[in-house]
Each structure stands twice: as C-alpha cells, then as structure tokens.
Amino acid sequence: MTTTHGRALAAGLALLLTAAASAVGAGSAAAADGTVQLPVLSARLDADAACTAGSAVLATDVPWEQVSLQLTRTWPFASGAGVTVGVVDTGVSSSAPALKGRVSAVGDAGTDCVGHGTFVAGLVGAAVADGVRFAGVAQQARILAVRGSDARGAVTAERVADGIRAAVNGGAKVVTVSAALAANTPTLRAAVALAAEKDVLVIAAAVPDTPATATSATDSPPARDYYPAADDGVLSVLDVDVDGKRPTGAYTTSSASIAAPGDGVVGIGPKKAGHYIGSGASLAAGFVAGAAALVRSVHPELTAAQTASLLRSSAYPADVPRLDPYAAVTSVLTSASAPAAAAPASPVHLPADKAAGPLRRALWPASAGLAVIIAVVWLGLVLPRGRRLGWRPTRQPERTAGPEGEAGTEGTVPVGAGAQGTTEG
C-alpha cells in the first residue's frame, strides 16, 4: 500500500511541475514570437530628406499600450462616434488605410510628408485591419487634420496658434497639440482662450519629445513649463513607458496633468498599411485625445472642463496620474449636468491590476495540476483506507412533507452531523 501511495504522490507532483513549467514556457514563447522590428518614425525631416514612404512591416500582436489602457474592456461602452478630434501636427494623410473615410483637412493638411501627424491620428482613432491587432482608442471618431508646423515638421508659436483656431472653427470637440514650445505668446494664449469659449478640450504634450541623443538621466534638462500645455484650461500630458516610468533623458515639468503610454508605442504611417514605432509626449497626448473622444461620445452632456476633470479623477493614482480610459468611460458623475463650479470632485477610481489577467492565465495550468494531485491522492490513499476501515457515506434521511405540502424541516441533517453515529460496521 505504501508503494502505491508513493507512486500516486509522485505522479501528482510531476503533473504539477509540468503544468507550472508549461505556464512559464507559454508566456516566454508568445513574447519571443511577438517581437517585430518596426521602423522608427521621426517628428521632423531635414530639408533634403525624402518624405516618409510608408512601412511594409505589420504589427500583428496587441501592442503593450493597448493592454495597459484596457482598451478591449472600454470599446463595448464607447466608440468615439459623433466626435471630431483636431490633430494639430504635420498634417494627416487622408489616404492612410486605417483612417479611410474619416479624415477631413484644413488647407493642404490632408497630406503628411513627415508622417508624425498621421501617427498621432492613428493613436486617436485607427480602425482594426485584417491580420492586425493594433487599433486607435476611438475607432469611430472623425479626424480633422490641421497643420501646426511647416511641411517638414518645424513649428512656431504662430503656426500652432493658427492650428488650434482652425481646429476649433472646423468643429473639433477635442484638439491634440503635439508641439511643446519653450515660450508662450499672446496669440497662443488667445487660441487656447477661444477653445475654452467654444467648449473645446485642448490636450497638449507637456514636454518636447525626448532627444534622440540622450544617453542617461543626467542628460535631462531642468524641469520647466512648456506651451500651450502649461496654459490654463489645457490638459497637459507626459509620456511613460511600459513600467510607468519616464524615458531616459526625457524633458521634465512639474505642471503635467496626466500621463499616458508614449515610449516605444506602435502606430501607422502616412502610406501603406504597415506600422512604425515612436516615442514622446506628443504620442501620449494622442492617447489622451482618443480617450477624451470616447468620454465626449458617451457623456455628451459634459463640458470640456468636466471631461478633463473626469479623465484626471478616474486615472490610476501615481506621481502623475496615469490615463485609464475604461474608468473614465464607465464612471458615473451624479452632478454631470450641474454647473461646473458646483460639481464636487469625482472620487479617484482604482482600476483592476493590469497584470492580474496575464498572471491568472499563467496560473491556470498550475491550478489544474493541483486539482489532479488532489484527485490522485484521494483515489490512491484516502479512499482505500476508508474502505479498509469499513467507511460508508452517510445517507441523509428523506425530508417529510409539511402540513400544506411544503417540505418540512424534521429529519434534516445539519452540516457536519454526518460524522456522528456512523462508527458501527
């Protein structure tokens, strides 16, 4: 009997170890198989450089930023339908496949030599394509392309201000601005004020994109404000990586409102169906703009200021709160229709641990192995011993009918009572 018991326990332990090894191995294999080398997209082109031709490499796995933002949980509740997002950048290619039929442009902004504006617009609202798992945040939002730079990506305060005004006058309810300027100007402040007057939410990169030459944290310039992000009424966005940290050598500021993925994120190009990879607060602003479109589509009664407040209050708590579109879209503001001054602060929503899902999936095989161990031990050890000792399962007496045909309570065996009076035989 001892030998049989030992074999049963050994078999169960082997099954458990195999299940655990399978769980770890599956995760590693998926990560290795999902690695794709994507071309890097620049925010600006040299005067003699050719226009961005488009990528032929497809991102076929779900990017980390979509998992981090819980977009698959969010999409059943909101799509961005009925909301126009103005993208003040290098232009947005109206021929980009993932944005087909949803791009309108001011002037010649429907072409994009650099590709950066198209990349940002894709983060806002790119549609899913066959064989591709990448998608924008608000897939049914419309895009209004507006130039905030020259054709090669060079920006000035006047160009950015003109772009904000054009987006507001063009009917956008959300405007994302990629530029982060060191100096503010009266024209820039006036453009932001016009947006507030027209109930348009302006979202802007809190800092310039990280310098490509930065090699260490000591390369980071001192913290300071950048514009229009630091203007009153603008939702200022910082970029974070997959671990929720700032990139090495990044610009810093103390006035950011919210953080979003922006380091090594996947996006579309101005031509072809392939993808690029990019980094910077300008890209993080695109994610926030997409989330704002979702909120404004599902909560059209909210003002621009209330939308910004909801995005902040529902964000994941951190030094700079991290964007949580699911929490923002599914939050209920009981005072949403009340005047903004009278509305109480919304409670901070703590979203589910983003690592919990993958962890549970990894532990399922181990749990199955544990269940097998229990079954093996029961069959090989407990059951034979019980039979040898003359054990018999306790039978519960039949319940008698009550006076009016209902089941009575007499004769019912309470939980745990089966062990009494069963020792004979």
Side-chain angles (χ1 to χ4, degrees), residues 127-146:
V128 176
D130 291 341
V132 174
R133 304 290 295 280
F134 164 79
V137 178
Q139 297 178 43
Q140 292 187 28
R142 294 196 61 83
I143 303 296
L144 178 60
V146 183

Side-chain angles (χ1 to χ4, degrees), residues 2-312:
T2 303
T3 303
T4 303
H5 297 165
R7 289 175 179 172
L9 291 174
L13 180 58
L15 285 170
L16 178 60
L17 293 175
T18 301
S22 298
V24 175
S28 300
D33 293 342
T35 300
V36 177
Q37 296 296 324
L38 297 175
V40 177
L41 186 69
S42 176
R44 185 173 176 175
L45 296 177
D46 294 334
D48 57 349
C51 291
T52 302
S55 170
V57 184
L58 296 177
T60 55
D61 289 330
V62 180
W64 71 266
E65 53 272 20
Q66 289 180 208
V67 177
S68 175
L69 294 175
Q70 305 183 81
L71 293 184
T72 55
R73 296 182 65 198
T74 309
W75 288 329
F77 299 96
S79 64
V83 177
T84 297
V85 178
V87 178
V88 181
D89 204 302
T90 60
V92 176
S93 174
S94 58
S95 61
L99 298 171
K100 185 178 181 180
R102 290 185 291 125
V103 178
S104 55
V106 175
D108 62 351
T111 60
D112 185 10
C113 179
V114 180
H116 190 272
T118 306
F119 191 112
V120 171
L123 300 181
V124 172
V128 176
D130 291 341
V132 174
R133 304 290 295 280
F134 164 79
V137 178
Q139 297 178 43
Q140 292 187 28
R142 294 196 61 83
I143 303 296
L144 178 60
V146 183
R147 280 272 169 80
S149 69
D150 65 11
R152 316 298 292 184
V155 299
T156 64
E158 287 68 28
R159 285 176 178 148
V160 173
D162 289 344
I164 295 173
R165 282 195 298 269
V168 171
N169 293 330
K173 299 302 291 181
V174 177
V175 175
T176 180
V177 181
S178 294
L181 304 168
N184 203 357
T185 66
T187 56
L188 199 54
R189 287 192 296 269
V192 170
L194 175 65
E197 178 184 341
K198 299 292 186 179
D199 193 33
V200 177
L201 176 57
V202 177
I203 297 166
V207 295
D209 291 346
T210 303
T213 56
T215 58
S216 69
T218 57
D219 291 339
S220 299
R224 55 158 302 164
D225 288 341
Y226 296 90
Y227 300 92
D231 276 332
D232 292 339
V234 177
L235 192 60
S236 175
V237 186
L238 272 181
D239 53 316
V240 293
D241 63 15
V242 67
D243 296 319
K245 300 178 181 179
R246 297 298 319 290
T248 299
Y251 291 95
T252 58
T253 182
S254 59
S255 61
S257 306
I258 196 168
D263 186 27
V265 300
V266 175
I268 64 174
K271 299 177 181 178
K272 301 182 181 179
H275 298 91
Y276 288 85
I277 193 167
S279 298
S282 61
L283 308 184
F287 282 116
V288 177
L294 293 181
V295 171
R296 301 210 80 172
S297 70
V298 76
H299 292 301
E301 75 281 2
L302 296 185
T303 65
Q306 288 173 328
T307 300
S309 178
L310 177 57
L311 289 169
R312 290 195 304 269

Side-chain angles (χ1 to χ4, degrees), residues 392-403:
R392 293 194 307 274
T394 300
R395 293 186 178 179
Q396 181 174 326
E398 296 182 358
R399 302 173 68 178
T400 59

